Amino acid sequence: MSKQQSTLRKLLSFVQSVLAGLVGIQSNKKREEDFNDGGLERMVYVGLGTLVLFLIIVITAVNSALPG
Amino acid sequence: MFFRAWQRLSSVVLGLALAPAAMADWGLNMPQGITEVSQSIFELHMLIFWICVWIGVVVFGVMFYSIFKHRKSKGAVASKFHESLGLELLWTAVPTVILIAMAVPATSVLIQMYDTTNSDVDIKITGHQWKWQYDYLGEDVGFFSNLTTTDDEIYNRTEKGENYLEEVDNHVVVPTGKKVRFLITSNDVIHAWWVPEIAVKKDAIPGYINESWAMIPEGQEGIYRGKCAELCGVQHGFMPIVLEAVTADEYQVWLDDQRAGKVAEAAAAQGDFSYDELMVEGAAVYARSCAGCHGTEGQGMGSIFPALAGSPMALNDMAGHIDIVINGKPGSAMQSFSAQLTDVEIAAVITFERNAWGNDTGETVTPKMIIDAKK
């Protein structure tokens, strides 16, 4: 597995962990992996990105629902 | 056997689901109302109600079935596991989908309810302890709406009328087929203007204006009754709302009558009134506007509402008496009656208070004295 593929896989894993955090569902195994892998900084970045995405979705939904 | 009983129960539930109107007629449900918005609210209410019923049926059904099927006497042994990702996803996803399914129609109705733009008639509604004031913005028409149920009915000295505690002297008149915007506020404490048939229920908050609207369809002319829906003091139950829907033509005639009446009142205030005329009028005004606090015999009520019978002000201080009725007393429950009563009514009620219940001052207060005091 190339280094690039490995980074992408890790990133996807972080995204999955953050999404799991949003709905409050995470397996024990995955949780332990997240803690053991380190990468707190990356996790925070992904978390912040997801938060911004969530806000954009809410604002868009409200604006599309309101008339005018 | 179990299946047949379940089938029968489902039929009953389904029958009820298909007959919301029948439930409304039964009197336990909320009224459907007469406006498009009230119908939308009713339909939303029924939708949410049946979603909740089915959730209840499914959840309790599964629960009771599990309790019965896996009972201890049958040798059931509890399975022990720590996590189940699939199950956890399911019980998160299903409520999410249900909530979104409820939020979509709810948002649509809310947007409809809050759209107060492009109104044809604007009415400012002010709550007072314990009456409503209506001002038709831009029409130079405004009045107070007072309860007309007599004390004799309230205290069981006579038979209660058909619209006991639900009739007022001045109805709030609105045209059908027109969008009427209500601007709701309060002069003292928090009230709430509520007319169920048009699905309007808004808090009246001092220093704040809430908006709502209604469009009563043509052909739905009639009387619609409501009440204050926020506990606002000792006579909270004595400030009903009577909304009269008339055709657009009748509404114009009514507006003209109101304006003409105002001119006539101003002219009448310049006329001369005898002591007897003022006493008769004053007794009626007192019963309507003052007796609620100061008592039917001027005896007062506790330490908050002072007695007028034998009161030093009613006996000796005419200027003070006129001033307190016109301007009220800041920091007390005594409100200003300057806008609530006409000059003739104020003169009459002060004359009455200075001569009733043994006060017997023999003094007459004329409308001209009230006009001068207001300057």
Side-chain angles (χ1 to χ4, degrees):
Chain A
M1 190 186 289
S2 70
K3 198 181 168 190
Q4 217 174 5
Q5 275 178 320
S6 167
T7 312
L8 184 68
R9 222 177 118 192
K10 265 196 172 170
L11 187 69
L12 284 175
S13 170
F14 280 136
V15 172
Q16 191 200 336
S17 294
V18 169
L19 290 176
L22 273 179
V23 291
I25 303 166
Q26 179 71 296
S27 69
N28 244 347
K29 193 180 151 203
K30 185 76 174 59
R31 187 172 57 81
E32 279 167 16
E33 271 176 24
D34 289 340
F35 273 90
N36 293 334
D37 267 7
L40 175 69
E41 201 179 318
R42 249 183 276 178
M43 186 74 88
V44 170
Y45 286 140
V46 174
L48 285 173
T50 315
L51 176 68
V52 171
L53 190 69
F54 175 73
L55 289 175
I56 289 170
I57 291 170
V58 170
I59 291 166
T60 310
V62 170
N63 282 333
S64 65
L66 289 175
Chain B
M1 173 81 178
F2 175 76
F3 179 71
R4 223 178 299 157
W6 177 251
Q7 213 175 17
R8 218 170 289 164
L9 179 68
S10 297
S11 306
V12 171
V13 172
L14 192 67
L16 288 172
L18 295 174
M23 287 188 70
D25 291 343
W26 198 17
L28 293 178
N29 207 346
M30 67 184 289
Q32 287 198 46
I34 51 162
T35 62
E36 196 187 324
V37 172
S38 72
Q39 300 282 339
S40 300
I41 294 171
F42 181 78
E43 282 161 19
L44 177 69
H45 160 74
M46 293 312 298
L47 173 73
I48 306 291
F49 173 75
W50 285 116
I51 288 174
C52 293
V53 167
W54 282 110
I55 290 172
V57 168
V58 170
V59 170
F60 285 105
V62 169
M63 194 178 88
F64 286 122
Y65 172 78
S66 304
I67 291 170
F68 179 76
K69 177 80 178 169
H70 305 292
R71 59 192 184 275
K72 195 178 175 184
S73 61
K74 288 270 185 182
V77 179
S79 66
K80 290 178 181 167
F81 58 91
H82 181 260
E83 64 181 57
S84 171
L85 193 62
L87 206 57
E88 286 175 29
L89 278 172
L90 190 72
W91 75 47
T92 305
V94 171
T96 305
V97 170
I98 292 172
L99 283 176
I100 291 171
M102 294 199 299
V104 171
T107 306
S108 160
V109 173
L110 271 179
I111 289 170
Q112 196 185 1
M113 283 170 68
Y114 280 85
D115 179 17
T116 54
T117 56
N118 302 320
S119 59
D120 301 306
V121 177
D122 299 314
I123 303 175
K124 182 179 153 212
I125 300 169
T126 309
H128 296 259
Q129 284 179 317
W130 291 274
K131 64 198 77 174
W132 295 100
Q133 180 185 8
Y134 299 98
D135 290 301
Y136 289 66
L137 303 182
E139 300 289 357
D140 194 28
V141 169
F143 52 84
F144 280 79
S145 189
N146 300 284
L147 176 76
T148 52
T149 302
T150 62
D151 274 359
D152 286 345
E153 285 178 75
I154 293 168
Y155 294 109
N156 299 317
R157 291 192 287 263
T158 182
E159 206 174 314
K160 297 183 191 309
E162 186 190 351
N163 295 311
Y164 176 68
L165 294 183
E166 288 191 325
E167 193 52 84
V168 294
D169 51 0
N170 296 310
H171 296 177
V172 52
V173 177
V174 297
T176 54
K178 303 276 183 196
K179 186 168 181 176
V180 182
R181 182 170 66 132
F182 302 109
L183 299 138
I184 302 164
T185 187
S186 169
N187 192 49
D188 35 51
V189 298
I190 299 177
H191 304 269
W193 198 82
W194 179 36
V195 180
E197 292 295 329
I198 60 168
V200 173
K201 185 183 188 183
K202 275 279 171 197
D203 275 0
I205 304 168
Y208 193 86
I209 295 175
N210 274 328
E211 285 184 77
S212 193
W213 69 279
M215 182 151 82
I216 299 173
E218 286 172 353
Q220 292 283 10
E221 290 79 19
I223 300 278
Y224 301 100
R225 295 179 196 279
K227 51 197 75 180
C228 178
E230 186 70 55
L231 187 57
C232 60
V234 68
Q235 290 186 50
H236 160 63
F238 297 171
M239 52 183 295
I241 298 154
V242 183
L243 184 134
E244 187 176 342
V246 297
T247 63
D249 290 342
E250 286 169 340
Y251 175 70
Q252 281 308 323
V253 171
W254 177 82
L255 280 180
D256 292 340
D257 286 349
Q258 290 292 309
R259 292 188 198 106
K262 212 171 163 184
V263 173
E265 271 171 15
Q270 300 295 333
D272 293 322
F273 292 83
S274 70
Y275 171 84
D276 290 339
E277 284 172 329
L278 290 169
M279 284 299 282
V280 171
E281 173 71 10
V285 174
Y286 183 85
R288 199 171 67 228
S289 302
C290 315
C293 296
H294 292 289
T296 49
E297 298 300 317
Q299 75 275 22
M301 202 186 291
S303 57
I304 301 171
F305 305 115
L308 299 182
S311 131
M313 182 178 279
L315 292 172
N316 304 315
D317 183 6
M318 186 190 284
H321 198 167
I322 292 172
D323 179 69
I324 202 168
V325 174
I326 291 175
N327 300 313
K329 187 177 177 186
S332 78
M334 180 64 189
Q335 53 194 274
S336 162
F337 283 85
S338 180
Q340 298 188 41
L341 302 175
T342 65
D343 296 334
V344 176
E345 286 172 330
I346 293 175
V349 79
I350 296 174
T351 302
F352 175 76
E353 287 169 357
R354 300 184 77 78
N355 292 283
W357 322 300
N359 284 353
D360 301 333
T361 61
E363 293 168 348
T364 300
V365 176
T366 65
K368 283 175 193 161
M369 293 165 74
I370 304 302
I371 294 169
D372 290 341
K374 281 183 173 177
K375 283 176 186 167

